[in-house]
Amino acid sequence: LLEEASYSSDAAAPALSLIRSLPVHLVLCTSKTHAEVLPIQQELGFQNPFIVENGGAIHLPAASFGNHFLPHNDDHEWTQIGLGMPYDCLVEFLSEARKELSLDVVGFHDLTEEEIAEKCGLSLEQARRAKRRDYDEPFFFTRPAPESVRKLGIAAAREGRASYGPLAIDQ
């Protein structure tokens, strides 16, 4: 939907136009956060349900779906249905695994907004939005090794944490 480098939706304009003409919802499903998706939806001209942080939560527009669900956040325009492990639990797990397994792993929680912007090719405002996480912790190994990935995956499985693998950031 969005061009990787520029976040432009120009190439998808014909498909977006077709979707607008049909009685359907465009449901975005992304690794992005709630804070990142809102401006994208606004730019695209949609206010539909969306799924964030790799399936961590579903967001429903309160105006369309009412209060049939208990809101899990303070945003009264959107009802958040949390599906994933809360962010603070993921950060705690990653920090403990780093110590216990002697892993050279760095998560978003370890980085400043400026570092996230630089490493991920985002503007500072985009990095601020990306850092506002509820259910997913992007991470990378400073010295990638198959054994480190395997050890973290085993620890995550043992603890019941989802393990999708490290964030790919060119060092």
Side-chain angles (χ1 to χ4, degrees):
L1 178 63
L2 300 179
E3 197 278 323
E4 188 176 348
S6 70
Y7 282 21
S8 170
S9 63
D10 291 347
L16 292 170
S17 180
L18 175 62
I19 290 169
R20 282 187 195 92
S21 73
L22 299 172
V24 298
H25 289 286
L26 171 66
V27 178
L28 301 178
C29 185
T30 180
S31 63
K32 295 186 180 311
T33 65
H34 176 260
E36 290 175 285
V37 172
L38 290 179
I40 293 169
Q41 286 224 108
Q42 185 174 23
E43 181 182 319
L44 296 176
F46 290 100
Q47 182 147 359
N48 295 329
F50 56 92
I51 302 167
V52 295
E53 298 187 49
N54 293 309
I58 300 169
H59 291 267
L60 304 171
S64 299
F65 289 88
N67 289 328
H68 301 293
F69 303 96
L70 295 174
H72 293 220
N73 61 2
D74 295 328
D75 185 343
H76 298 291
E77 291 183 37
W78 293 92
T79 299
Q80 175 180 289
I81 302 170
L83 303 173
M85 184 76 58
Y87 183 70
D88 58 338
C89 293
L90 295 174
V91 168
E92 180 183 350
F93 165 75
L94 193 60
S95 296
E96 288 174 4
R98 176 179 22 222
K99 284 186 253 177
E100 291 174 15
L101 302 173
S102 300
L103 298 174
D104 297 312
V105 63
V106 176
F108 260 35
H109 73 280
D110 297 309
L111 302 174
T112 65
E113 293 167 353
E114 292 80 10
E115 290 169 324
I116 291 171
E118 181 183 328
K119 289 189 178 300
C120 297
L122 302 173
S123 71
L124 192 54
E125 182 56 35
Q126 289 169 323
R128 281 189 191 106
R129 290 185 186 124
K131 195 163 170 75
R132 292 176 49 195
R133 312 201 70 79
D134 293 314
Y135 297 100
D136 188 41
E137 174 68 338
F139 63 91
F140 63 94
F141 292 95
T142 56
R143 290 184 301 204
E147 182 61 19
S148 296
V149 173
R150 189 183 74 71
K151 285 165 61 175
L152 185 58
I154 290 169
R158 184 179 61 240
E159 293 294 318
R161 280 15 181 219
S163 178
Y164 297 102
L167 176 69
I169 298 178
D170 293 333
Q171 295 290 327

